[in-house]
Amino acid sequence: MCLMGNELFDEINPEAYHAAAAIELFHNFTLIHDDIMDKALLRRGMETVHAKFGESTALLSGDVMLIVAYEYLNKISTTYSRRIFSLFNKTAKEVCEGQEIDMDFEKRETVGLDEYIKMIGLKTSVLLAASLEMGAILGGASEGNCRHLYEFGKNLGIAFQIQDDYLDAFGDPQKFGKDVGGDIKQNKKTFLLLHALQSANDEQKKELLQLMKNNPADKVEKVLQIFKDCNVDEWARQLKEKYLAAAHKHLDDIAVLQKRKKPLEELAAFLVEREH
């Protein structure tokens, strides 16, 4: 996405590869640490680092990846480095804040949809948005175009997370690469769970809260049945489309030739229609 943000405005600036490498390393560092916090055993269809090598090794591996990410950023010339470092650091702090809020949600019985969207904006969307904007900066984009591209990425990130929440509950584990129902097992406050709690009748809500509290062996199956009874899957599809439309509006407002936007339009379609 960093490289695509660059190409939207100009030919690839070789310095974009340094920024892209830094983003990729930072992203994978967060995944290693997230998997430890979430006690996740699978990532992309393979054993997580902490499951295979132990928590200490996983923590140190993540730490080193972050250090190497900054080594790549340090290769960027002074022409761009101040803006790039400022955006990268702001984003890194926001991602950590989003993860903390996500963990705090696990201890609360109720979470508002607005609160959840704010958390997703921090934990997931800002990194997509910043990746695009860093590329745009290196491609010589104006501040206005950078802002629209950032908002495109932020709204697309929320749509992406809605799809991710959906796949965790209803996806094919062979395609998704994770244990389906992982969020349900951990009582994660996802888009699906929040809507189910809001739309369920008294009996369904009581059962849902009991399942979250008691964690029976058939918890995933029973929670999924309540989701289906509450039409959560269709609601999630509509909400995803709302944020996708907002993303496209910002992309439309970027002052470049329409044909240059086509790769980003195709990426957006892939991210929200994927099955993995």
Side-chain angles (χ1 to χ4, degrees):
M1 294 187 82
C2 178
L3 298 174
M4 292 175 82
N6 183 158
E7 284 189 304
L8 181 62
F9 300 98
D10 202 352
E11 296 299 311
I12 287 285
N13 179 340
E15 299 199 86
Y17 292 109
H18 300 319
I23 292 163
E24 182 66 15
L25 284 162
F26 173 79
H27 176 55
N28 283 283
F29 141 69
T30 66
L31 297 182
I32 291 175
H33 283 201
D34 282 5
D35 285 339
I36 296 170
M37 289 179 259
D38 292 343
K39 298 178 173 58
L41 300 179
L42 282 178
R43 169 71 67 176
R44 298 168 184 163
M46 299 174 68
E47 270 188 291
T48 50
V49 178
H50 74 92
K52 189 168 185 177
F53 300 106
E55 287 192 7
S56 297
T57 298
L59 284 168
L60 291 169
S61 298
D63 292 345
V64 171
M65 290 171 83
L66 180 59
I67 293 165
V68 178
Y70 277 103
E71 288 179 344
Y72 274 99
L73 289 179
N74 211 34
K75 296 177 182 181
I76 295 172
S77 68
T78 54
T79 305
Y80 304 103
S81 60
R82 185 169 182 176
R83 288 179 69 190
I84 294 293
F85 268 104
S86 177
L87 179 56
F88 186 89
N89 287 339
K90 171 179 173 288
T91 303
K93 287 188 288 186
E94 287 174 335
V95 170
C96 292
E97 183 184 350
Q99 173 66 3
E100 176 60 33
I101 294 170
D102 191 18
M103 293 170 63
D104 287 345
F105 284 173
E106 292 178 29
K107 303 166 195 165
R108 290 170 51 183
E109 190 171 291
T110 59
V111 172
L113 184 60
D114 288 346
E115 290 180 287
Y116 185 74
I117 290 172
K118 178 187 175 185
M119 182 273 290
I120 291 305
L122 292 168
K123 183 179 175 180
T124 301
S125 299
V126 294
L127 188 58
L128 297 180
S131 300
L132 288 163
E133 186 175 353
M134 286 169 71
I137 290 167
L138 293 165
S142 68
E143 285 192 21
N145 281 337
C146 281
R147 185 175 67 253
H148 280 303
L149 189 58
Y150 184 91
E151 289 301 323
F152 163 77
K154 193 168 182 181
N155 281 283
L156 180 59
I158 294 173
F160 168 89
Q161 187 62 47
I162 296 169
Q163 180 70 356
D164 207 60
D165 287 357
Y166 174 87
L167 290 173
D168 189 273
F170 297 107
D172 179 344
Q174 295 299 317
K175 295 179 181 178
F176 191 40
K178 298 184 193 177
D179 291 322
V180 169
D183 289 343
I184 292 171
K185 291 173 187 174
Q186 295 173 53
N187 292 336
K188 281 211 164 192
K189 306 299 189 296
T190 65
F191 281 104
L192 307 183
L193 178 61
L194 295 178
H195 185 68
L197 286 169
Q198 286 180 345
S199 60
N201 60 38
D202 290 343
E203 185 177 336
Q204 289 169 328
K205 186 173 181 180
K206 182 180 178 182
E207 182 183 0
L208 201 48
L209 293 173
Q210 282 296 111
L211 287 166
M212 292 169 67
K213 185 177 180 181
N214 297 329
N215 296 317
D218 59 351
K219 175 180 179 176
V220 173
E221 292 78 9
K222 287 187 173 179
V223 170
L224 285 177
Q225 189 57 56
I226 294 172
F227 282 179
K228 291 171 185 173
D229 293 342
C230 294
N231 294 317
V232 166
D233 49 347
E234 175 58 22
W235 171 85
R237 187 192 66 78
Q238 293 176 6
L239 188 65
K240 178 180 70 175
E241 291 299 326
K242 171 188 167 184
Y243 282 97
L244 182 60
H248 279 300
K249 175 67 171 65
H250 283 286
L251 187 61
D252 288 343
D253 288 342
I254 294 172
V256 298
L257 291 173
Q258 195 64 31
K259 65 181 181 181
R260 298 189 76 99
K261 301 176 186 179
K262 190 168 178 58
L264 286 172
E265 291 172 348
E266 292 172 349
L267 176 68
F270 166 73
L271 288 179
V272 299
E273 293 169 8
R274 68 200 165 88
E275 296 182 355
H276 61 279

